[in-house]
Amino acid sequence: MIDDRSAALEVEDLTVAYSDQPVLWDIDLVVPAGDKMAIVGPNGAGKSTLIKAAMGLVPSVAGEVRVFGRPFAKGNGEIAYVPQRSSLEWDFPTDVLDVVTMGTYGSLGWFSRPGAAERDRARAALEEVTMEAFERRPIAQLSGGQQQRVLLARALVQEAPILMLDEPFQGVDAPTEQAIAAVLDRLSDEGKTVIVVHHDLQTVPEYFDSVLLLNVRAIESGPVADVFTEDNLRLTFGGRVGVLAQLAAGEIDS
Amino acid sequence: MELFGDYTLRVVALGSGVLGAAAGALGSFAYLRRQSLVGDALSHAALPGIALVFLLTGSKAPLPIMLGAACAGWISTLAVRLVVRRSRVPYDSALGMALAVFFGFGLVLLTAIQKRPDAAQAGLESFLFGQAASLLREDVVVMSILGAGCLIVLGALWKEFKLLSFDSEFGDSLGRPMRRVDGLFTLLLVVAVVIGLRTVGVVLMSAMVVAPAAAARQLTNRLAPMVVIAAVIGVISGVSGAVLSSLIPRLPTGPTIVLVLSAFVVLSLVFAPGRGLFWRWIRLGRLQPAAALNPVLMHLYALSQQHPEEPDHGHGLAVLRTMSPAGADLEQVLGDLQSRGLAHVVGEGLWAPTPIGRREAERSLDHEAEVRS
């Protein structure tokens, strides 16, 4: 039996299909509270779909999601979401502070507008990702790394116990990667649960406590030391095993 | 002020102004959502609604006609959604199909009506290209109420519409009912289009939705000013177009308004500070030499990245040659890089980028990423 108190997120029998083609099949997953988990797998493995389905952003055919032992309900502020940077239209006419303030909209009613208190919360979140100097910058003028920090700040504002991030390290510069990793570490130290769709196998042991290997089905999940093995990677990725084995062993460093 | 002393003209100007404000403001959000074509489909699809209402009631009273137009437009969006969900037809094709089918059906009905002997149908064809001069006071009252309603709802649900346009999925994750917000937005857009049918006509109404937004986007980097500017452009174009066409006999209103709008769009596309083509052209002319990539420097940079803790780890000419096209004059390029302080010799025939060279390479990569994105 699963101990409800120690699990931040439990997914049971989750199945998602797009026009009869299963993209996620019968996923079971338990993420302990305070865990920092990477979701890795090949392209088309359903990594993004898994976190979206867990949050109810895409419809699932079957399955159950519990958060801290209770059935998950959208909008109760328990999960903050950082979407893939490239999924957004960055030519939108707005500035950095405004985007981060959107993170407070969940706590505002229908007709109320964000005020000074909300903007202060947004400023504090911007400081956490060292973007406070850019608060009036139009988002169309940000670099990729800056965009990613802004999205992270928007999630931090929500002060949710669980954060789900979709490829936050994709195409960002080295300082941003370090800054994001540091924020994730701090969140984890504060007891928050962090779930990250991740593409870079090399950095999995460095950045994460545990890992879910996903390829439509959940191949294996658990602590990195137990699960992140050559055999499991072979099961997940199929083909390119030689490279993968070396990657897992950290022998390639280009 | 003699111009606006004329009662008919005042009515016409007021109606067109309301229409321009509502269409410009709502159009901004449609534009940002890349839904400009929706306005086009909605307005064309309204024609059979207008014709059917006239066939059933025999009157051209504004409210029933607008209701019929709105229903037809709404049904067309439902049809588009159904087709997209149930088939592999992409969204824009589905919109195009809905536009053609509804508009064609509307034209058939209109032709049938015009063959009838009674006189009541006269003027119904003005719904095609608009005839502001035919606006009555009761038309303008209905238009004003609907337009004001649209703007009030837009203001009240500002942050929801902003979420919908920028990152609807994120809004969903916050627990905001984005599907309902989306439905409401489509409804508002339908209302804005319907307001303009008599003035601008179904054929060119989409320009009222798209053009003010396109011009306004050029002029500002913030949402609220963009919406206000689009509304103002809508008002100016609507009023000037309607007044011109009322003063000049047989000049249809829709095309006149669209011509005024086009002038705004062209001017803002070319001369808008920052985004205008004119300024971009001047800027690019100035910056081009610095932005160009030097392939040899990029190769040196890529090689040096493999030894991050050893910045002066050199690579021989042979390595560089395998990375370069045959016949490239490597020595000359390297000499040139050296004289610009971007690369230096670190050993016997071994080259590495200088710190400045590395920064230059990074900047080029950033620039390229920016151009691509």
Side-chain angles (χ1 to χ4, degrees), chain B residues 122-177:
Chain B
L124 209 57
E125 73 283 352
S126 72
F127 279 106
L128 279 178
F129 290 109
Q131 193 46 267
S134 68
L135 280 183
L136 302 173
R137 190 167 172 271
E138 51 172 354
D139 293 316
V140 173
V141 168
V142 175
M143 288 167 74
S144 304
I145 292 170
L146 288 175
C150 278
L151 294 178
I152 288 168
V153 175
L154 190 67
L157 297 180
W158 181 264
K159 69 180 191 306
E160 278 75 18
F161 286 128
K162 183 159 66 179
L163 270 181
L164 180 73
S165 313
F166 178 59
D167 193 353
S168 163
E169 195 172 55
F170 178 74
D172 197 7
S173 84
L174 290 175
R176 313 302 296 181

Side-chain angles (χ1 to χ4, degrees), chain A residues 8-87:
Chain A
L9 180 78
E10 294 162 85
V11 174
E12 217 174 289
D13 303 335
L14 186 70
T15 298
V16 177
Y18 291 144
S19 54
D20 297 339
Q21 185 78 27
V23 284
L24 282 179
W25 189 258
D26 198 18
I27 306 289
D28 289 316
L29 176 68
V30 178
V31 187
D35 201 17
K36 233 181 340 163
M37 175 179 271
I39 300 175
V40 299
N43 288 331
K47 305 183 291 280
S48 300
T49 307
L50 173 57
I51 61 171
K52 286 183 192 177
M55 284 182 287
L57 302 183
V58 299
S60 48
V61 178
E64 217 184 309
V65 177
R66 283 188 298 275
V67 172
F68 298 111
R70 294 182 302 275
F72 175 61
K74 235 188 308 190
N76 64 2
E78 285 178 327
I79 302 181
Y81 171 49
V82 179
Q84 236 176 83
R85 176 167 64 85
S86 57
S87 70

